């Protein structure tokens, strides 16, 4: 910049920018003061005493006409010196240590190469530069950009761009821009190498049988894993950028002749309409931005980190959203029953898969209703059937039962959070200390009842057996709400609370799709698929939930190709 600034000490930490030069010549009173400004204002500034009123933003900094020309221009300047000023003003190439500008002469033409050091794949860029350095003199005297693009740059990903906005966007995304003296366009080479981890199996979606790869934080790797499973030419992967500052890449994946066209258009319209700074938290912020559900605790979309699960849902007519820097893929639309299914059920025989599904359903039911029902039987012993006369504590603890439940609930959450933040070698020891020592001592001291710890452990196991982590946390909040309702109102509290929860689920929609489908509205065939894990040859048609264009999954007889 053509001006410097001085920071005037201020006890209130207010920073006043004073232009370089004489204060009397450059200082202008703040708006609203005019001639009524205090007469000793300039003396106060000279003495380091802050003024009583901070000048408006318009007086803090002013661009010169030349600076504004470089800052807001979108045409590629012909002179490399002007290109340098544009890159400095708009991309920070004079302030960021990782922003590199390399000036060299190729084929008799001065050139400038701009790139971010951490993104560049050194060996590829060095090879390109070595090839260009061997060009004889006067080779690029005419039509330099066209010759480099068509003949002399041996790289598969090269674009010729004419606007600075596109060029700077590519450079900040990891590309390398080559400017040539006297040319009104530039060549952008994609020679980036993004830092990434291995495609290891997701920790929350493990299976005994099946693939061990999983999505990572790199968008290109994720879509490659998907392409490996779906070689359909009608698989579409459309990308767009979201966020004025982050410019996060978002990919919409769908199969063109299966997915509902109106669903795809609605999702694309919502994403294109976003006017935000960025998506620092990636997929979660995108989900909340396009599907605003307020304070509803239940998950509206399904997340997965498994490529096979994403491919399966695409074949069903769903739409998947990939967000760069996130290993989780958003699946739309999704229902409550999508969150209680797991890939392991489809890796076993139909009978075993059905059994595992029922066990999982029981775990989800227990995580919600086991503790409120036991608490209700304790408060109202006359409700207990004869076969359940053993239910209820033989001795009461020093703490009320409701308080015991709430303390244990918070304790389990504290254990879970501590396990996340504890190094892996110490996590097991931490769990043993919390579960055995603290629980055992609390019971022996008479603070807690044995049955409270027992049923809380069963409910916690049911919560951890829920495939969807988001649904498990929502179920925990529902369980706590039912416990409080039973403690306050007894039977009416349990009944009304259950009805309100069901109404919340029934009225909820996931992108215009009933959340409790196929239970409400009822669809018999689809409900049978929820209850049973049917053999693959019997799954001849896609579900109606996604309104697929092509409902047929296989021929009438397995093994016969459709002609």
């Amino acid at each position: 910049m053509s001006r410097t600034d001085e920071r005037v000490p201020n006890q209130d930490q207010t920073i006043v920018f004073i232009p370089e030069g004489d204060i009397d010549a450059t200082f202008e009173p703040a708006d609203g003061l005019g001639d009524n400004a205090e007469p000793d204002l300039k003396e106060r500034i000279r003495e380091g005493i802050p003024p009583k009123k901070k000048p408006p933003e318009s007086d803090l900094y002013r661009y010169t006409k030349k600076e504004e020309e470089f800052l807001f221009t979108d045409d590629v300047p012909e002179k490399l010196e002007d290109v340098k000023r544009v890159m400095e003003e708009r991309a920070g190439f004079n302030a960021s240590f990782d922003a590199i500008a390399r000036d060299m002469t190729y084929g008799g033409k001065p050139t400038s190469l701009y790139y971010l050091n951490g993104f560049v794949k050194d060996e590829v860029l060095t090879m390109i530069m070595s090839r260009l350095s061997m060009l004889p003199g006067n080779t690029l005297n005419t039509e330099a950009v066209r010759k480099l693009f068509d003949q002399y740059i041996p790289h598969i990903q090269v674009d010729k761009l004419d606007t600075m906005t596109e060029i700077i966007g590519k450079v900040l995304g990891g590309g390398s821009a080559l400017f040539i003296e006297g040319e009104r366009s530039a060549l952008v080479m994609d020679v980036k190498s993004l830092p990434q981890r291995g495609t290891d199996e997701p920790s929350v979606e493990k299976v005994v049988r099946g693939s061990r790869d999983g999505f990572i934080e790199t968008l290109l790797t994720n879509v490659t894993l998907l392409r490996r499973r779906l070689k359909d030419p009608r698989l579409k992967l459309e990308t767009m950028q979201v966020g004025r500052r982050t410019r996060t890449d978002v990919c919409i994946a769908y199969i063109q002749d299966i997915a509902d066209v109106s669903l795809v258009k609605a999702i694309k319209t919502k994403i294109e309409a976003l006017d935000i700074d960025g998506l620092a938290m990636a997929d979660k912020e995108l989900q909340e931005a396009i599907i605003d559900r307020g304070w509803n605790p239940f998950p509206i979309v399904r997340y997965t980190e498994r490529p096979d699960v994403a491919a399966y849902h695409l074949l069903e007519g769903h739409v998947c959203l990939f967000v760069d820097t996130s290993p989780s893929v958003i699946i739309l639309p999704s229902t409550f029953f999508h969150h209680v299914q797991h890939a392991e059920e489809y890796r076993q025989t139909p009978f075993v898969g059905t059994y595992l599904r029922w066990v999982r359903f029981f775990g989800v039911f227990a995580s919600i209703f086991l503790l409120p029902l036991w608490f209700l039987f304790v408060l109202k012993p006359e409700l207990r059937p004869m076969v359940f006369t053993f239910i209820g504590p033989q001795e009461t603890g020093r703490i009320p039962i409701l308080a015991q439940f709430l303390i244990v609930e918070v304790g389990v959450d504290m254990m879970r959070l501590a396990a996340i933040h504890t190094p892996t070698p110490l996590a097991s020891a931490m769990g043993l200390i919390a579960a055995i020592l603290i629980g055992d001592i609390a019971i022996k001291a008479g603070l807690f009842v044995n049955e409270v710890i027992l049923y809380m452990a069963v409910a916690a196991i049911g919560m951890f057996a829920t495939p969807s982590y988001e649904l498990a946390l929502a179920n925990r909040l529902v369980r706590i709400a039912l416990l409080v309702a039973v403690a306050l109102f007894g039977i009416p509290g349990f009944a009304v609370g259950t009805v309100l929860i069901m109404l919340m689920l029934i009225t909820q929609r996931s992108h215009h799709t009933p959340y409790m489908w196929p239970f409400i509205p009822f669809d018999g065939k689809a409900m049978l698929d929820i209850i049973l894990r049917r053999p693959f040859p019997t799954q001849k048609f896609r579900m109606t939930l996604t309104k697929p264009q092509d409902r047929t999954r296989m021929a009438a007889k397995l093994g016969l190709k459709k002609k």
Side-chain angles (χ1 to χ4, degrees):
M1 296 297 177
S2 61
R3 54 195 273 186
T4 60
D5 59 70
E6 298 179 8
R7 297 198 173 189
V8 180
N10 189 345
Q11 294 179 352
D12 295 331
Q13 299 183 354
T14 301
I15 299 175
V16 180
F17 294 91
I18 303 176
E20 185 178 44
D22 183 27
I23 294 179
D24 294 328
T26 59
F27 182 80
E28 297 180 8
D31 293 340
L33 293 178
D35 298 334
N36 297 326
E38 52 182 319
D40 61 338
L41 182 59
K42 298 175 184 177
E43 287 72 21
R44 291 169 61 87
I45 295 178
R46 288 193 185 95
E47 296 173 3
I49 303 174
K52 295 182 179 180
K53 183 176 181 179
K54 179 183 175 181
E57 291 294 329
S58 60
D59 291 335
L60 294 180
Y61 190 85
R62 292 190 183 91
Y63 291 108
T64 64
K65 292 183 177 180
K66 193 66 175 177
E67 289 172 345
E68 289 183 353
E69 178 183 347
F70 286 126
L71 186 62
F72 301 109
T73 185
D74 206 30
D75 297 326
V76 177
E78 291 186 354
K79 296 182 179 180
L80 293 183
E81 184 62 30
D82 292 340
V83 171
K84 180 180 179 182
R85 291 293 302 276
V86 173
M87 297 299 287
E88 289 177 350
E89 297 294 340
R90 296 186 59 179
F93 269 77
N94 61 332
S96 301
F97 77 94
D98 63 333
I100 308 298
R102 182 79 166 88
D103 297 329
M104 293 190 70
T105 300
Y106 297 124
K109 274 279 190 177
T111 65
S112 293
L113 182 67
Y114 292 87
Y115 58 91
L116 298 181
N117 194 24
F119 282 130
V120 170
K121 188 179 295 184
D122 296 342
E123 58 272 17
V124 177
L125 189 59
T126 302
M127 183 269 293
I128 295 174
M129 296 174 68
S130 300
R131 172 70 180 270
L132 296 179
S133 64
M134 294 186 291
L135 294 178
N138 302 327
T139 302
L140 303 179
N141 282 352
T142 59
E143 298 183 320
V145 172
R146 185 190 63 80
K147 290 180 180 179
L148 289 174
F149 183 80
D150 293 339
Q151 304 176 35
Y152 299 121
I153 296 183
H155 191 59
I156 59 175
Q157 291 180 296
V158 183
D159 290 325
K160 182 169 62 175
L161 302 179
D162 302 322
T163 63
M164 292 302 299
T165 299
E166 290 182 293
I167 295 171
I168 292 174
K170 294 288 186 181
V171 172
L172 295 179
S176 301
L178 181 65
F179 295 89
I180 301 97
E181 181 75 25
E183 297 290 338
R184 303 290 298 189
S185 58
L187 296 177
V188 177
M189 300 164 286
D190 189 356
V191 293
K192 63 176 176 288
S193 177
L194 299 175
Q196 64 182 39
R197 59 182 175 89
T199 56
D200 301 324
E201 182 179 16
S203 58
V204 295
E205 295 181 271
K206 292 184 177 181
V207 294
V208 177
R209 301 289 184 191
S211 61
R212 306 294 180 186
D213 56 350
F215 292 130
I216 60 174
E217 289 76 13
T218 305
L219 178 61
L220 185 59
T221 302
N222 293 343
V223 297
T224 302
L225 292 174
L226 184 65
R227 283 281 191 189
R228 185 180 180 185
R229 288 167 170 81
L230 289 175
K231 302 178 179 66
D232 189 346
R234 290 167 292 276
L235 172 63
K236 304 301 179 183
L237 301 171
E238 301 184 15
T239 60
M240 57 186 67
Q241 288 190 333
V242 178
R244 296 186 299 271
R245 298 185 183 276
T246 63
R247 297 178 181 178
T248 306
D249 291 321
V250 176
C251 174
I252 304 175
Y254 62 95
I255 300 179
Q256 189 175 25
D257 59 342
I258 296 179
D260 182 18
V261 177
S262 61
L263 173 64
V264 176
K265 288 184 178 179
I267 294 174
K268 290 171 59 176
T269 301
K270 287 187 176 182
I271 295 177
E272 291 172 349
L274 294 179
D275 185 15
I276 55 179
D277 268 357
L279 299 175
M281 294 292 107
D283 52 300
K284 186 57 182 175
E285 289 186 345
L286 178 65
Q287 178 245 307
E288 293 185 3
I290 64 176
I291 306 178
D292 183 15
R293 300 302 298 175
W295 294 93
N296 193 323
F298 289 97
I300 303 299
V301 301
R302 181 180 180 181
Y303 293 97
T304 185
E305 297 183 27
R306 295 187 60 89
D308 51 358
V309 173
Y312 186 90
H313 282 81
L314 286 175
L315 290 173
E316 287 287 345
H318 293 264
V319 176
C320 293
L321 298 181
F322 295 78
V323 183
D324 194 25
T325 72
S326 172
S328 299
V329 173
I330 300 174
I331 300 175
L332 287 170
S334 62
T335 67
F336 178 87
F337 297 101
H338 280 108
H339 295 278
V340 294
Q341 297 182 14
H342 193 269
E344 180 68 21
E345 300 165 5
Y346 296 89
R347 296 289 184 177
Q348 304 297 331
T349 63
F351 188 87
V352 175
T354 300
Y355 166 75
L356 293 177
R357 183 173 293 184
W358 288 2
V359 171
R360 205 178 307 277
F361 287 166
F362 174 77
V364 174
F365 179 86
S367 67
I368 301 175
F369 295 106
L370 180 62
L371 294 185
L373 283 174
W374 180 86
F375 191 28
L376 183 61
F377 289 153
V378 170
L379 295 179
K380 304 290 184 180
E382 64 275 10
L383 297 177
R384 290 180 299 183
M386 294 298 297
V387 295
F388 293 144
T389 54
F390 62 89
I391 293 179
Q394 303 299 323
E395 298 179 0
T396 59
R398 299 180 181 179
I399 301 176
I401 294 181
L402 177 62
Q404 293 182 37
F405 278 128
L406 297 180
I407 293 173
V408 175
E409 290 277 7
V410 174
V412 171
D413 273 333
M414 290 179 63
M415 286 176 53
R416 180 178 57 83
L417 295 176
I420 293 175
H421 302 299
T422 302
T424 303
L426 302 178
S428 300
M430 184 274 301
L432 290 175
I433 292 174
I436 298 178
L437 295 182
I438 297 179
D440 185 60
I441 293 174
I443 292 174
K444 290 182 177 179
L447 299 178
F448 289 91
V449 177
N450 287 331
E451 290 190 52
V452 170
I453 303 298
L454 171 64
Y455 291 114
M456 184 64 220
V458 175
I461 293 174
M463 185 190 73
F464 293 129
T466 305
S468 170
Y469 179 71
E470 293 80 14
L471 181 62
L473 294 179
N475 290 343
R476 163 165 289 186
L477 296 177
V478 170
R479 181 173 69 237
I480 294 175
L482 287 178
L483 284 172
V484 174
V486 169
L488 295 177
F489 306 106
I491 299 176
F494 179 82
V496 173
T498 303
V499 170
L500 290 178
I501 293 168
M502 288 301 300
L503 288 176
M504 179 188 300
L505 294 174
I506 293 171
T507 57
Q508 185 165 294
R509 303 182 72 83
S510 173
H511 213 283
H512 310 295
T513 301
Y515 194 61
M516 291 302 292
W517 185 93
F519 180 60
I520 298 177
F522 186 75
D523 186 327
K525 292 183 179 180
M527 195 65 197
L528 184 62
D529 287 336
I530 297 296
I531 298 174
L532 304 177
R533 206 289 271 173
R534 292 195 300 161
F536 176 70
T538 64
Q539 302 174 19
K540 293 182 173 59
F541 300 98
R542 296 182 176 90
M543 64 174 65
T544 59
L545 172 73
T546 56
K547 301 177 182 178
Q549 302 178 57
D550 179 11
R551 286 205 60 205
T552 304
R553 299 189 60 179
M554 61 184 70
K557 292 184 179 180
L558 188 64
L560 299 180
K561 293 184 178 179
K562 295 177 63 178
K563 295 183 180 181

